[in-house]
Amino acid sequence: MATSLQEKQINALKRMLNFNQPPTKATNAEPQWKVLVYDRFGQDIISPLLTVKELRDFGVTLHVSLHSDRDPIPDVPAIYFVMPTDDNIQRICRDFQNQLYESYYLNFISAVSRQKLEDLANSAIQSNAVQQVAKVFDQNLNFISLENELFTLRHQARESISYYAINKGDVKDTEMEAIMDSIVDSLFSVFVTLSIVPIIRCPRGNAAEMVAEKLDKKLRENLRDARNSLFSSEGVPGQFNFQRPLLVILDRNLDLATMLHHTWTYQALGHDVLDLQLNRMEIEEVIDDGPTMNSPARKPRIKKKTYDLSSKDKIWMSQKGHPFPEVAEAVQEELNAYRQEEGEVKKLKAALGLEGEDDTAISMLSDNTARLTSAVTSLPELLEKKRQIDMHMNIATALLEQIKARKLDTYFETEEKMMSKAALNKSLMDIISDPEAGKPEDKVRLFIIALICGPPLTEAEIDQYCVALQAANCDISSIQYVRRWKSYTKLQAPSSQYAGGGISSTSMFSSLLSKGSQFVMEGVKNLVVKGHNLPTTRIVDALMELKSLPDADDFHYFDPKLLRADASSVPRNKSPFQEAYVFMVGGGNYIEFQNLIDYAKSKSAPGMQKRIVYGCSDLVNAAQFLNQLSQLGQEM
Amino acid sequence: MLARRRRNNSGSDRLQQQVLHSSLEQQWQSNSTISNPPTEVSLSRQDCLSPQRQEHLLIHPDMTCRDRSNEFLSVVKSLQSRQSNGVVANHKNRALHIRSEFTQIAKRIGKDLANTFAKLEKLTILAKRRALFDDKPVEIQELTYIIKQDINSLNEQIAQLQQLAKSQRAHYGKHQQTHSNTVVVALQSKLATMSNNFRQVLEVRTENLKHQKTRREQFSASAVTSTMPPSAYQGHMNGSVLLQDEASHIGNGEIAIDMSGSGKGNLQNQMQIIDEQDAYIQSRADTMQNIESTIVELGSIFQQLAHMVKEQEEIVGRIDHNVDDASQNIEAAHTEILKYFQSVTSNRWLMIKIFGVLMVFFIIFIVFMA
């Protein structure tokens, strides 16, 4: 049985592609050709999970977007994977009328309402296509799982559920309702796919509480209706009492600083600095067409290269959570190993003699033939490895360029020190007024973190900094918002919030240069991150281990399995949780995700495996988040 | 199984290869029933099929989706009865509409591929067997031959299918073209993997044969018998208690009578044994050669297929790739248009200037000349 959320989602998708029958052995079954039709939600869900080749293996000959112009293919069944929106339903009805395909397998990402089903039926009758509608399914897959421990709700059209949308000043009640409903619907899908009922904890008095209440209600309704319950599969009672996971729903307002933090780990850097979207990295490469002096107006051509970072990539899986200099080192090591293997193959070729490809010579050396075959079979693997190494080389080089250009190491160091209350080696003013250091947004990020975590500043000081920031070409509307936010939220003593941090910088030349690294790390400090827990992690820790923490003591407690909904926040469960799902309402990022994963790793003993899955309404990087903040500030 | 296939095919016009193919299969079936231990083979054949059927019946334990088809149908029914007041004769059964030739052929090839895969699995089981005495060279040869024929005919059929797709290209829309192309490519790649598998199996078989040969040389006394004088061998034969036992098992009475002519008999036996071994070795060598030639042939087919597949460019992309490309293209187009616009505007300025100059001259001309 598949364990992780991602695997379960993949299995569900495969079942869907197999006309909702459990997939059989792929090679033996005779192929059935089909067309896959999806909308943009379906596309976001499928694209990180199944490649085109895998789709082909399932007999999908054509994959097209629902709203594109489609030509009729009269003798193929079509599988639809769409959201039940009015727009989509109308489009499907038009497909019925135009008789595009032989038969229709309708799969809705989340539950389709009775009204829409009637609309569909109506148009099917009118266009005489009732016979062709083979199946109608609710798939309950309304989320995007990016990794085993990471999921997000939206990718395209995510502005509708962003931090900005939730914290907007003039948000209407109905809008808020709609946002919450869509979040709850997705979370519900997550737990249906997992087929477990969690225990829900959430803070009081914010958006997270609304989500938790609605989710509790929805789960409860589903459980009460025993006949149609989606959770019937969970077996023996008594088992889940111990194994039920904890769902912690948190609000973004808990911790704004992490969202703006400059980071030092590979994956998070990729997300922050480069464009990491749905496990796909996009790097802009500037191609110089030789000397372009005579035509200065001509811009250098920018070519975008995309790299897929899948879970099959070993380097990525092992290095994504490591600090950047270590990654550079590891990539270098991989490269060396690869060169060695390549050398062996070459040596073998030489050993076979000058005749090389001559058949008779090879057949003479019967022993060498076997080695040759093994070398030939290992060639694709080697090529694949080379591709991976190249990819990481390129990514790392691009990252390094950015780090050097923006002096991200200084920012990271300063911010870490600020969060951990250490003395700064360089005053804040120096960095802000330094024209060399980074983009304007980096400075704003630094200052906001100083505002939130640093020593309290007087109004006059803040104004002074604002003037300096404006002089450095910064947009300070986001700072206005943060100031107001700070005055509204009763912040607990920040010293306890970010405690336990710290970094140490070591000499960067020591190991890198000795290995003959291709990366020129000059001017970039080799920063080593020490274990250090972000506020989110600390709250999750307190809730999982049933520790008492002032922040987390007054959290709500919902148990959808209990018949009576009582709002008493007394935790009934007395044993620590082994599994937790952390959900962030209003956006999350890879820094928090990595921090939680590291925490889970440090806590799990051989016998007691701790698992934490991180989810967020949308994955935003610091620039996007800052944008939202300044939008909020402008509306003030 | 044969009967089912026939039924399926009866309506359509059969290609010649198809006929050849099914007759071969028939031959194979009769062979498998005649050959020595038929039970195993036919059993395993059934085994290949039965699990799939069972799995279809089995309801998956973690079903997270909900089937709303029945709900949909009931809605349809109620709506129908409401609309047409009980007249339900409205809907024609369009599910029976005739599929195109292309689809039929593609489906048949797919089915044949699946069948050949099943045969290949059987061959794999047979070829991987390492026992010295439980070897079934005849069957393996038979199977190898059949599979080779199958692959050849499938290859031709796919080529024909490709031709068909190309010839029909004019009639259909873009999506249909892509669809048929993908079908052809998918079939080709499947065939390619199968022939690759087949080649591997044959390699295993050759390896096994070699292995068996060395073992036979180690343990059997053939080398000894040929060098030693007949007498030694005779003594050996006579001395062997086991052989005597065996002989006595065969027929109690005959030995007592034949004892007088035993020497001559033994010599004959020995000659026979050597002959047999010669024949055996000869047959083995033939088999090896056969397999080798098959591998070479397969290699060529495989290469050809690989080439074809490469040609079609198997994309290992993701489904949102095209979208990105499209947006990029649009952006590029936009910049181009902007550039053009700029050039046009600058031209416009030039025109205005020229026009202005002309006007000035014109006015001067009119004022001073008139």
Side-chain angles (χ1 to χ4, degrees):
Chain A
M1 189 172 146
T3 45
S4 79
L5 184 62
Q6 192 179 24
E7 282 166 39
K8 282 194 173 167
Q9 197 175 20
I10 291 175
N11 282 349
L13 283 177
K14 283 182 178 167
R15 192 173 54 224
M16 179 187 87
L17 291 177
N18 208 19
F19 302 116
N20 291 308
Q21 251 137 19
T24 51
K25 236 167 76 185
T27 47
N28 269 348
E30 65 181 80
Q32 277 177 309
W33 315 113
K34 61 206 119 187
V35 176
L36 178 67
V37 182
Y38 47 77
D39 62 350
R40 53 186 188 167
F41 297 109
Q43 179 186 335
D44 285 342
I45 292 170
I46 295 174
S47 61
L49 297 178
L50 296 172
T51 61
V52 171
K53 180 155 191 311
E54 280 167 306
L55 288 179
R56 292 263 160 87
D57 288 344
F58 275 96
V60 176
T61 56
L62 207 58
H63 50 87
V64 279
S65 167
L66 179 69
H67 291 281
S68 64
D69 283 333
R70 281 169 289 137
D71 302 329
I73 308 177
D75 44 8
V76 190
I79 295 180
Y80 283 74
F81 186 54
V82 293
M83 262 319 220
T85 57
D86 288 331
D87 223 15
N88 288 344
I89 299 275
Q90 275 169 17
R91 185 66 201 232
I92 294 172
C93 293
R94 241 192 299 158
D95 286 0
F96 286 162
Q97 269 166 18
N98 297 341
Q99 299 182 13
L100 287 187
Y101 307 112
E102 184 195 54
S103 56
Y104 305 90
Y105 292 80
L106 304 177
N107 294 281
F108 292 102
I109 295 172
S110 63
V112 57
S113 68
R114 179 80 183 186
Q115 178 60 41
K116 281 167 187 152
L117 211 59
E118 276 170 16
D119 288 351
L120 267 180
N122 211 346
S123 90
I125 293 171
Q126 271 168 14
S127 53
N128 214 347
V130 178
Q131 299 280 321
Q132 284 162 280
V133 180
K135 287 264 165 64
V136 181
F137 266 84
D138 289 347
Q139 287 290 350
N140 284 318
L141 291 173
N142 191 6
F143 58 95
I144 304 167
S145 58
L146 294 175
E147 278 167 39
N148 276 342
E149 291 94 13
L150 177 67
F151 68 92
T152 174
L153 301 190
R154 291 287 160 80
H155 181 63
Q156 294 178 41
R158 56 184 172 180
E159 291 78 26
S160 62
I161 53 170
S162 66
Y163 182 77
Y164 169 70
I166 294 172
N167 289 287
K168 208 156 52 161
D170 55 347
V171 63
K172 290 190 205 82
D173 275 0
T174 46
E175 280 175 44
M176 197 67 181
E177 265 322 89
I179 294 169
M180 292 300 134
D181 280 341
S182 73
I183 293 177
V184 166
D185 186 57
S186 301
L187 269 178
F188 180 71
S189 305
V190 170
F191 287 101
V192 167
T193 307
L194 287 164
S195 68
I196 41 175
V197 183
I199 289 168
I200 307 168
R201 301 295 304 265
C202 72
R204 285 166 194 275
N206 50 22
E209 187 185 11
M210 284 173 75
V211 171
E213 266 171 13
K214 277 176 182 284
L215 181 64
D216 178 55
K217 212 170 130 214
K218 193 156 186 175
L219 286 170
R220 213 178 274 278
E221 269 166 19
N222 197 278
L223 283 170
R224 203 178 298 143
D225 188 2
R227 212 152 38 89
N228 282 327
S229 176
L230 290 158
F231 297 97
S232 56
S233 65
E234 77 177 344
V236 207
Q239 203 179 35
F240 45 78
N241 255 345
F242 301 109
Q243 296 193 342
R244 277 178 67 186
L246 178 72
L247 170 65
V248 185
I249 301 178
L250 296 170
D251 194 89
R252 190 67 268 166
N253 281 324
L254 174 82
D255 172 24
L256 286 183
T258 310
M259 292 302 286
L260 301 169
H261 185 34
H262 288 91
T263 178
W264 204 233
T265 56
Y266 193 29
Q267 187 179 31
L269 254 179
H271 183 233
D272 183 9
V273 177
L274 304 172
D275 211 5
L276 178 64
Q277 289 185 342
L278 294 181
N279 289 348
R280 154 177 281 190
M281 191 94 81
E282 221 165 67
I283 294 176
E284 290 186 350
E285 279 185 3
V286 181
I287 303 168
D288 287 324
D289 312 330
T292 48
M293 292 299 176
N294 45 3
S295 57
R298 196 170 155 197
K299 274 187 266 174
R301 259 173 62 219
I302 290 173
K303 196 177 141 204
K304 273 190 181 168
K305 269 198 160 184
T306 54
Y307 297 105
D308 283 335
L309 298 161
S310 68
S311 51
K312 283 162 205 140
D313 185 343
K314 269 190 208 141
I315 307 174
W316 175 245
M317 285 321 272
S318 63
Q319 297 299 330
K320 66 184 182 190
H322 287 199
F324 180 69
E326 275 181 40
V327 176
E329 234 170 86
V331 171
Q332 190 64 36
E333 269 170 36
E334 286 284 338
L335 187 69
N336 288 345
Y338 165 73
R339 285 210 177 120
Q340 213 168 358
E341 277 179 56
E342 202 187 10
E344 271 169 28
V345 173
K346 276 182 185 156
K347 224 186 285 169
L348 186 68
K349 196 179 153 200
L352 279 173
L354 297 170
E355 300 97 318
E357 266 77 76
D358 198 355
D359 274 345
T360 50
I362 293 172
S363 64
M364 295 289 280
L365 308 159
S366 58
D367 185 37
N368 268 355
T369 330
R371 274 169 62 196
L372 190 70
T373 357
S374 77
V376 167
T377 47
S378 72
L379 266 182
E381 279 171 39
L382 266 181
L383 282 179
E384 176 64 20
K385 211 171 177 184
K386 182 173 179 337
R387 198 187 58 78
Q388 280 182 6
I389 292 172
D390 277 351
M391 179 177 89
H392 285 286
M393 272 295 193
N394 288 342
I395 292 173
T397 324
L399 279 179
L400 189 69
E401 267 170 26
Q402 289 286 326
I403 289 173
K404 273 188 187 166
R406 289 163 61 178
K407 291 201 177 163
L408 293 181
D409 50 335
T410 330
Y411 282 103
F412 172 69
E413 203 184 351
T414 322
E415 283 168 15
E416 283 288 313
K417 277 187 177 150
M418 249 188 278
M419 283 178 164
S420 59
K421 301 278 156 217
L424 307 178
N425 345 347
K426 218 175 172 188
S427 84
L428 203 56
M429 210 47 160
D430 281 350
I431 300 178
I432 288 173
S433 50
D434 182 5
E436 294 279 294
K439 292 190 200 167
E441 60 169 52
D442 290 323
K443 291 175 184 170
V444 178
R445 281 163 67 179
L446 179 70
F447 182 66
I448 290 176
I449 289 172
L451 205 61
I452 296 171
C453 313
L457 300 167
T458 62
E459 290 290 316
E461 276 177 314
I462 294 175
D463 288 338
Q464 203 184 334
Y465 277 118
C466 282
V467 170
L469 281 170
Q470 267 170 331
N473 225 350
C474 302
D475 180 14
I476 56 161
S477 48
S478 51
I479 296 172
Q480 301 296 340
Y481 176 75
V482 174
R483 275 169 83 177
R484 197 187 61 166
W485 171 78
K486 208 184 166 191
S487 65
Y488 280 164
T489 25
K490 39 168 207 334
L491 259 192
Q492 285 84 15
S495 57
S496 72
Q497 283 244 329
Y498 296 92
I503 42 163
S504 63
S505 59
T506 55
S507 139
M508 62 200 173
F509 290 109
S510 58
S511 61
L512 274 171
L513 288 190
S514 65
K515 290 196 173 91
S517 168
Q518 219 175 286
F519 295 109
V520 192
M521 297 290 286
E522 281 137 333
V524 180
K525 288 199 188 76
N526 193 1
L527 300 171
V528 180
V529 193
K530 278 182 185 163
H532 120 103
N533 284 345
L534 294 173
T536 318
T537 315
R538 286 175 51 249
I539 286 171
V540 172
D541 175 49
L543 291 176
M544 277 179 92
E545 303 288 335
L546 305 172
K547 280 189 230 163
S548 132
L549 186 79
D551 300 353
D553 273 349
D554 62 338
F555 270 37
H556 268 304
Y557 181 90
F558 295 104
D559 187 350
K561 284 225 156 168
L562 293 182
L563 282 178
R564 207 161 42 83
D566 48 352
S568 71
S569 58
V570 187
R572 282 148 200 276
N573 206 328
K574 292 295 175 206
S575 62
F577 291 94
Q578 296 306 313
E579 207 177 357
Y581 292 85
V582 182
F583 185 78
M584 203 40 121
V585 179
N589 67 2
Y590 282 101
I591 307 173
E592 256 174 357
F593 165 60
Q594 197 54 50
N595 202 268
L596 282 167
I597 296 301
D598 287 344
Y599 161 76
K601 252 183 218 160
S602 70
K603 279 282 172 186
S604 53
M608 304 245 290
Q609 204 68 32
K610 290 237 187 233
R611 277 189 67 222
I612 293 182
V613 176
Y614 180 73
C616 52
S617 52
D618 58 339
L619 270 173
V620 281
N621 63 21
Q624 291 160 340
F625 194 69
L626 200 64
N627 223 345
Q628 291 180 16
L629 286 185
S630 58
Q631 255 179 316
L632 286 169
Q634 277 158 9
E635 279 177 15
M636 247 176 11
Chain B
M1 184 146 158
L2 194 66
R4 203 180 66 197
R5 281 194 37 185
R6 281 219 172 125
R7 214 185 305 134
N8 282 345
N9 289 332
S10 57
S12 62
D13 53 334
R14 263 195 219 183
L15 300 170
Q16 274 206 318
Q17 280 83 7
Q18 189 60 32
V19 179
L20 176 75
H21 175 78
S22 61
S23 69
L24 267 167
E25 189 172 309
Q26 206 169 15
Q27 189 190 349
W28 144 248
Q29 276 214 329
S30 60
N31 270 331
S32 74
T33 41
I34 291 165
S35 62
N36 254 351
T39 47
E40 254 185 28
V41 178
S42 52
L43 261 179
S44 63
R45 190 188 185 86
Q46 279 174 353
D47 280 345
C48 289
L49 287 174
S50 53
Q52 282 176 21
R53 281 190 197 140
Q54 278 172 359
E55 258 175 318
H56 277 292
L57 295 174
L58 214 127
I59 298 158
H60 214 257
D62 46 28
M63 204 71 148
T64 54
C65 47
R66 180 180 286 169
D67 194 348
R68 304 270 295 259
S69 315
N70 289 333
E71 198 181 333
F72 177 75
L73 287 179
S74 69
V75 169
V76 165
K77 231 171 235 167
S78 70
L79 278 178
Q80 261 173 349
S81 61
R82 212 186 300 159
Q83 277 176 359
S84 54
N85 290 331
V87 185
V88 205
N90 194 7
H91 59 88
K92 293 163 275 177
N93 200 351
R94 250 197 324 218
L96 281 174
H97 85 119
I98 302 150
R99 293 177 165 199
S100 74
E101 195 185 358
F102 177 84
T103 319
Q104 282 171 12
I105 296 175
K107 212 169 167 57
R108 203 172 51 215
I109 293 175
K111 214 176 275 175
D112 288 349
L113 264 174
N115 286 342
T116 316
F117 251 116
K119 281 180 215 160
L120 186 62
E121 262 182 16
K122 236 163 291 153
L123 181 68
T124 321
I125 296 166
L126 282 178
K128 285 206 172 135
R129 205 175 281 164
R130 302 208 101 172
L132 199 51
F133 302 108
D134 196 19
D135 204 32
K136 294 173 195 135
V138 187
E139 268 174 47
I140 289 177
Q141 223 160 331
E142 204 72 52
L143 253 180
T144 314
Y145 180 70
I146 289 169
I147 292 176
K148 203 170 80 184
Q149 292 291 333
D150 275 3
I151 288 177
N152 268 333
S153 79
L154 279 172
N155 198 9
E156 276 165 41
Q157 281 183 50
I158 289 175
Q160 278 181 355
L161 191 67
Q162 205 169 13
Q163 286 299 323
L164 189 70
K166 260 182 202 159
S167 67
Q168 286 182 342
R169 192 159 287 180
H171 307 279
Y172 293 135
K174 209 181 83 198
H175 278 166
Q176 178 113 35
Q177 280 173 28
T178 340
H179 171 73
S180 49
N181 264 349
T182 326
V183 167
V184 172
V185 173
L187 285 173
Q188 276 174 352
S189 64
K190 229 172 180 190
L191 185 60
T193 48
M194 186 166 73
S195 49
N196 200 17
N197 279 355
F198 185 38
R199 205 186 50 183
Q200 274 167 1
V201 169
L202 287 184
E203 274 167 8
V204 167
R205 173 76 181 147
T206 340
E207 201 58 35
N208 272 358
L209 279 182
K210 262 187 214 162
H211 193 70
Q212 277 182 17
K213 204 173 120 196
T214 49
R215 264 170 73 182
R216 213 177 286 279
E217 270 168 8
Q218 269 178 359
F219 296 114
S220 72
S222 64
V224 180
T225 45
S226 56
T227 48
M228 280 193 179
S231 55
Y233 188 60
Q234 261 174 26
H236 172 70
M237 278 294 268
N238 286 337
S240 167
V241 186
L242 277 173
L243 271 179
Q244 273 178 358
D245 267 1
E246 202 178 323
S248 65
H249 269 289
I250 292 164
N252 285 332
E254 284 172 34
I255 282 180
I257 303 161
D258 256 24
M259 268 317 244
S260 57
S262 69
K264 194 184 161 194
N266 270 344
L267 194 64
Q268 267 181 349
N269 267 355
Q270 188 194 349
M271 292 298 283
Q272 217 174 338
I273 284 167
I274 292 170
D275 265 3
E276 259 175 30
Q277 263 167 354
D278 260 2
Y280 184 73
I281 288 165
Q282 195 63 46
S283 77
R284 276 289 140 124
D286 284 350
T287 322
M288 295 262 277
Q289 256 168 5
N290 210 349
I291 287 174
E292 260 173 34
S293 68
T294 320
I295 288 176
V296 170
E297 256 175 67
L298 269 178
S300 69
I301 289 179
F302 185 59
Q303 233 158 19
Q304 186 193 338
L305 276 172
H307 181 67
M308 280 185 338
V309 172
K310 260 277 147 50
E311 226 170 43
Q312 300 279 2
E313 220 179 311
E314 182 67 32
I315 336 139
V316 197
R318 295 197 330 193
I319 55 174
D320 54 358
H321 189 74
N322 287 340
V323 180
D324 296 351
D325 280 358
S327 74
Q328 232 167 295
N329 289 344
I330 287 169
E331 251 171 52
H334 186 240
T335 52
E336 289 299 316
I337 286 173
L338 270 184
K339 239 188 249 168
Y340 178 69
F341 179 69
Q342 264 158 10
S343 72
V344 164
T345 46
S346 62
N347 278 353
R348 204 179 286 156
W349 265 113
L350 190 71
M351 274 159 66
I352 289 169
K353 276 179 208 157
I354 291 170
F355 186 71
V357 170
L358 280 178
M359 282 304 283
V360 167
F361 273 105
F362 186 66
I363 288 165
I364 289 169
F365 187 72
I366 288 174
V367 169
F368 288 95
M369 302 300 276

